[in-house]
Amino acid sequence: MSPRFRTPLIAAAGVATISALFLSGCSAPAQSSTGDASGKEVSIDFYYPDQVGTLGTLIDGYLKDFEKEHPEIKVKGVYSGDYDQTLVAVNTAIDANKAPALAIMDQSFMLDLADRDAISSWDDYLTTDEDKKWLDGFYPQFMSNSITADKHVMGVPFARSTIVQYWNKDYFAKAGLDPEHGPATREELLATAHAMQEKAEAKWGLFIPTSTGTAYWLYQALVQQAGGFGALSNPAGDKVTLNTPENVAALEFWASLGKTEKVAPDTEVAWGTSTDDFLAGTTGMLWTTSGRMGTIQEKATFDWGVSALPADIGQGAPTGGGSLMLFNAGVSDEQRAAAVTLARFLTTPERAADVSVKSGYIATSEAAWDTTAMQDHLKKFPQAAAPHAAIADAIPEMATLDRDRVVYETLAPALQSVLLGTADAKTALDDAQAAIDKILSSHK
Amino acid sequence: MSDRAFSYALLIPAFFFLTLFTVKPLIGSVLSSMQERGGGGFTLENYARLGEDETFLRAATNNLLFSLLTVPLSLGLAMWLAVLLHQKMRGQGFLRAGVFAPAILPMVAIAVIWMYFYQPNIGVFNTILGSLGLPTPDWLGDPALVLPSLMVMMVWKEAGFFMIFYLAGLQGIDPELEEASRLEGTGKFRHFWKVSFPLLLPTTLFSAIVALSDSIKMVDFVFVMTQGGPNNASTLLLYHIYKVSFAQHWPQYAAAMSLVVVAVLVALAVIQIRLIDRKIHYR
């Protein structure tokens, strides 16, 4: 064989090998029920996000316990970043027809996923009376936006939260305020914020984060307080209420914190770093998720208090957080059944209490609240009662079809344009209402 | 086997991957961009929508500003650093490595580091400014400052990278030219402007094209630092396209946007090559 003849052969062989490797990589199934027909052993994917930094390790532990209790079910737990990254990961998996059988998704993604037939209704897979009772056990405030307009339960509460106010007791004491009680009304809120800046030398009085990802959520609470319709969207998610006088008043109040009251910066108050700012003493009060309580408890070098948000004409804050959802694409009946088993396992009162104790998420049922673990924790750490008390007035989190476009691409910039002082509230909200009406009309 | 067959055999692997990863997706994008949301049908609506999509237009404007400023600034700074570090001096290797360091770091790491530099209350910049009694702006939270702040970071990263190319370019220039200049008594700046700069033009052309495509394709820092906010002041094209494609699950519209961006990039590259090529002396 001449050297010249050999080279192309080697090249061709190389190409063939690489192509074969590549093609085999493409066609290998990512998720398979290994026992298939016999139904003895089944393998499922489970995607879980961690928005607060404490949930990931907890779930890893639960999955180990689960495999001991259910050796016939193999769970591939996939840590999938934050809620938005999880949505992207799940969307990609759906397109490849390899969706996870079970995933923890931001509750407000549910309508979009249901609209695309990406998720299934839980009630189709609950056979026994005990199964059905399981769903009735959760707090109705958490179930209210887990149910579609045609009454299908599509989300099972797992890591649910609400907005609460945290305050720095040291500043309260220095400013001559009662450190045991946070402000209960709007007037008290402003007076407290000013007092902390003037008498306790806090740089800022009150942080209400204005970042794109969460602005709508905090805005909901402000609208509710102003006496408006705080849910902002209807249960079907095809209609929003944004341009009422209460909405305008809520946004003007929010903008006034930075512009006229000067108790907050007139630039963006970043969600991600606002907890650090509270812990560093930059701001005396902070509105944020109850899910951050674990972090604040761990890192605060001063005494702090927490309570439900203050009231004005109305009262109440939206719920938030994640629910368990059942995905359809490429999931077999056995895998679906295994997913339901896993969901039941993850939401027992003991585990719901454990999640609450270790992260600050709210116990999802009365039974979880009544567990000894939860009650013991409350004795040591009375602050944990605050978010639980706050859910009495909780309203559903805003959720619409085409949510990313509606909430992030349209509403968030509209709110920010007013908060940053480039537009007035009435115009911005009218424009947002019109733009969102147009987006949602394409879904009818 | 003939020479011709042999040369084609050698090209097969390259063609195979080019087809698989470039040509096929490109055709797929063109087809997809003319489908309705959710797939199927034929429509040109995706292209018509571009003109009235405010977020897209804002992202395009932001990106235009970002590219127009970061590309020349990065290259200018890179050239200046290269000329400085080309001279013989103490600690030359250390200095070169130091300047090149940002180019080795992953963009995400850079973004995280700079995000803390820029923090309004605990960040490095404001701590220094505050201790000097100067105003301490909110670099990433103020819509007027966020884009310039990101540009500074980008220039810092890119300048070190292109410095290496210029350094290589300078080393490729015949040292006799510099000696000639010295003998003739030509000033350093004049020598640079009349001799080094023109001879570096091939490097500049190459770097400018790479820098331009970097300024459009590198968006990792937007995810980490600003998520496009506040009020879309830091939304860049690829970030918006990513959001539309994956978060909004609308790959058809994202495909239309991508194709427009690719078309503009290709057009710009052709213009760059045509304009600069005429003035370049290749050896």
Side-chain angles (χ1 to χ4, degrees):
Chain A
M1 204 189 271
S2 75
R4 180 186 245 200
F5 190 61
R6 209 185 296 144
T7 335
L9 261 187
I10 295 169
V15 173
T17 318
I18 293 169
S19 332
L21 280 175
F22 185 78
L23 291 176
S24 66
C26 281
S27 57
Q31 184 183 8
S32 58
S33 49
T34 41
D36 38 50
S38 66
K40 271 192 181 155
E41 195 173 273
V42 61
S43 164
I44 57 168
D45 283 357
F46 170 51
Y47 285 17
Y48 60 91
D50 183 353
Q51 199 86 359
V52 293
T54 46
L55 210 54
T57 13
L58 270 183
I59 293 176
D60 285 342
Y62 297 159
L63 291 182
K64 286 204 187 87
D65 296 345
F66 179 75
E67 292 209 336
K68 266 179 233 148
E69 201 171 299
H70 296 272
E72 76 287 3
I73 301 175
K74 291 271 165 281
V75 182
K76 264 191 275 171
V78 179
Y79 165 67
S80 49
D82 63 22
Y83 285 134
D84 290 331
Q85 289 163 341
T86 302
L87 179 65
V88 170
V90 167
N91 274 341
T92 313
I94 292 172
D95 289 346
N97 203 34
K98 287 168 194 160
L102 187 71
I104 298 173
M105 304 296 289
D106 187 314
Q107 179 52 51
S108 54
F109 298 159
M110 185 190 79
L111 292 175
D112 251 341
L113 293 167
D115 187 51
R116 282 164 45 205
D117 285 329
I119 51 173
S120 282
S121 161
W122 284 88
D123 12 42
D124 295 348
Y125 300 96
L126 302 179
T127 39
T128 63
D129 282 350
E130 199 198 339
D131 279 348
K132 284 169 192 149
K133 248 194 262 162
W134 169 59
L135 282 190
D136 295 335
F138 296 102
Y139 284 119
Q141 289 87 346
F142 293 143
M143 291 307 281
S144 64
N145 56 355
S146 288
I147 302 172
T148 58
D150 51 359
K151 305 288 174 220
H152 289 296
V153 177
M154 293 207 167
V156 168
F158 180 77
R160 302 300 304 271
S161 60
T162 189
I163 306 167
V164 287
Q165 59 178 358
Y166 298 91
W167 67 90
N168 185 320
K169 286 190 182 176
D170 290 2
Y171 284 153
F172 267 52
K174 269 188 220 159
L177 301 157
D178 174 8
E180 297 314 313
H181 293 97
T185 65
R186 279 261 174 97
E187 288 74 39
E188 280 179 42
L189 182 73
L190 282 178
T192 307
H194 282 300
M196 278 193 286
Q197 279 177 298
E198 285 153 21
K199 295 181 201 151
E201 284 157 13
K203 184 169 180 195
W204 299 111
L206 169 66
F207 270 18
I208 302 179
T210 62
S211 296
T212 309
T214 46
Y216 75 97
W217 199 45
L218 291 136
Y219 177 61
Q220 280 193 262
L222 290 162
V223 173
Q224 181 73 13
Q225 287 164 14
F229 175 58
L232 300 180
S233 56
N234 65 346
D238 55 10
K239 215 173 150 295
V240 294
T241 315
L242 288 177
N243 55 354
T244 63
E246 292 85 1
N247 272 269
V248 175
L251 188 49
E252 279 171 350
F253 169 77
W254 195 0
S256 77
L257 297 178
K259 281 194 279 188
T260 50
E261 302 288 343
K262 310 267 184 212
V263 295
D266 58 359
T267 50
E268 184 174 78
V269 178
W271 169 263
T273 50
S274 59
T275 313
D276 297 327
D277 287 324
F278 178 71
L279 290 168
T282 309
T283 180
M285 289 185 287
L286 169 68
W287 288 17
T288 192
T289 169
S290 56
R292 287 281 169 90
M293 202 187 299
T295 309
I296 292 176
Q297 180 191 9
E298 189 186 324
K299 294 190 179 156
T301 53
F302 49 83
D303 267 350
W304 52 278
V306 57
S307 75
L309 298 183
D312 197 33
I313 301 164
Q315 179 168 26
T319 59
S323 292
L324 293 157
M325 296 185 196
L326 291 172
F327 284 85
N328 296 333
V331 177
S332 70
D333 287 345
E334 293 83 39
Q335 289 174 321
R336 177 72 39 74
V340 173
T341 313
L342 175 59
R344 296 276 324 249
F345 179 88
L346 289 172
T347 54
T348 59
E350 290 71 30
R351 283 189 194 86
D354 197 45
V355 169
S356 179
V357 166
K358 287 176 183 155
S359 67
Y361 282 111
I362 303 170
T364 47
S365 64
E366 200 65 50
W369 183 249
D370 290 336
T371 54
T372 37
M374 190 76 224
Q375 293 301 320
D376 287 349
H377 177 63
L378 276 174
K379 278 180 206 131
K380 272 183 282 176
F381 183 59
Q383 282 111 322
H388 185 258
I391 57 162
D393 299 310
I395 52 172
E397 179 176 8
M398 178 185 186
T400 66
L401 298 167
D402 226 336
R403 176 174 179 273
D404 194 279
R405 262 178 103 195
V406 169
V407 172
Y408 296 155
E409 201 183 312
T410 314
L411 179 55
L415 296 175
Q416 287 171 344
S417 67
V418 178
L419 295 170
L420 299 165
T422 53
D424 81 289
K426 178 89 178 90
T427 321
L429 288 171
D430 278 341
D431 290 352
Q433 177 78 48
I436 293 172
D437 284 347
K438 202 172 152 202
I439 294 170
L440 291 177
S441 67
S442 68
H443 285 272
K444 278 177 186 160
Chain B
M1 190 181 269
S2 70
D3 279 355
R4 177 172 284 258
F6 177 54
S7 50
Y8 277 115
L10 285 179
L11 284 174
I12 285 174
F15 273 130
F16 175 74
F17 286 106
L18 200 65
T19 312
L20 196 65
F21 291 117
T22 309
V23 180
K24 185 183 168 287
L26 189 64
I27 296 171
S29 298
V30 172
L31 294 178
S32 171
S33 75
M34 289 186 262
Q35 289 183 335
E36 282 153 14
R37 193 173 187 179
F42 172 82
T43 175
L44 290 175
E45 177 119 351
N46 290 330
Y47 289 96
R49 186 177 285 114
L50 287 171
E52 51 187 62
D53 179 348
E54 279 178 36
T55 320
F56 174 77
L57 295 176
R58 184 71 197 265
T61 321
N62 284 346
N63 231 138
L64 194 68
L65 268 173
F66 193 80
S67 301
L68 278 180
L69 287 166
T70 60
V71 172
L73 283 175
S74 308
L75 295 186
L77 190 61
M79 205 186 276
W80 183 65
L81 286 169
V83 170
L84 277 184
L85 292 172
H86 183 56
Q87 299 165 355
K88 290 203 170 56
M89 62 172 93
R90 274 179 150 202
Q92 195 184 40
F94 181 76
L95 281 173
R96 284 182 189 174
V99 173
F100 187 62
I104 312 171
L105 286 174
M107 193 73 218
V108 173
I110 290 177
V112 171
I113 296 167
W114 280 73
M115 189 167 79
Y116 279 94
F117 284 179
Y118 280 136
Q119 280 312 302
N121 302 310
I122 48 179
V124 178
F125 292 147
N126 279 1
T127 310
I128 296 170
L129 289 173
S131 67
L132 297 174
L134 295 167
T136 55
D138 186 355
W139 301 101
L140 299 177
D142 188 329
L145 290 177
V146 61
L147 202 57
S149 299
L150 296 179
M151 287 182 198
V152 169
M153 181 191 70
M154 188 71 174
V155 169
W156 175 79
K157 178 182 165 59
E158 293 284 90
F161 181 59
F162 291 113
M163 187 267 305
I164 291 291
F165 291 95
Y166 279 121
L167 212 48
L170 284 171
Q171 276 157 1
I173 296 175
D174 194 338
E176 279 180 20
L177 293 172
E178 205 177 335
E179 269 171 47
S181 284
R182 210 166 21 203
L183 288 175
E184 297 281 340
T186 314
K188 270 193 173 169
F189 180 77
R190 197 173 161 80
H191 169 79
F192 169 76
W193 188 243
K194 290 288 179 189
V195 180
S196 309
F197 185 77
L199 287 173
L200 284 174
L201 273 178
T203 313
T204 304
L205 172 63
F206 165 77
S207 304
I209 292 172
V210 175
L212 179 70
S213 86
D214 272 1
S215 72
I216 288 176
K217 79 179 184 216
M218 277 201 202
V219 290
D220 326 24
F221 56 86
V222 181
F223 287 86
V224 178
M225 299 171 80
T226 64
Q227 286 88 48
N231 193 13
N232 284 335
S234 64
T235 299
L236 296 178
L237 280 171
L238 237 62
Y239 180 75
H240 181 55
I241 293 174
Y242 167 86
K243 291 281 283 178
V244 169
S245 182
F246 294 101
Q248 301 179 11
H249 206 251
W250 195 358
Q252 295 77 19
Y253 182 38
M257 287 192 277
S258 310
L259 287 171
V260 170
V261 174
V262 168
V264 171
L265 268 181
V266 169
L268 282 176
V270 169
I271 293 171
Q272 272 179 316
I273 292 170
R274 286 269 164 86
L275 272 184
I276 307 180
D277 215 25
R278 268 186 240 144
K279 299 182 185 163
I280 291 183
H281 310 283
Y282 289 103
R283 278 177 300 166

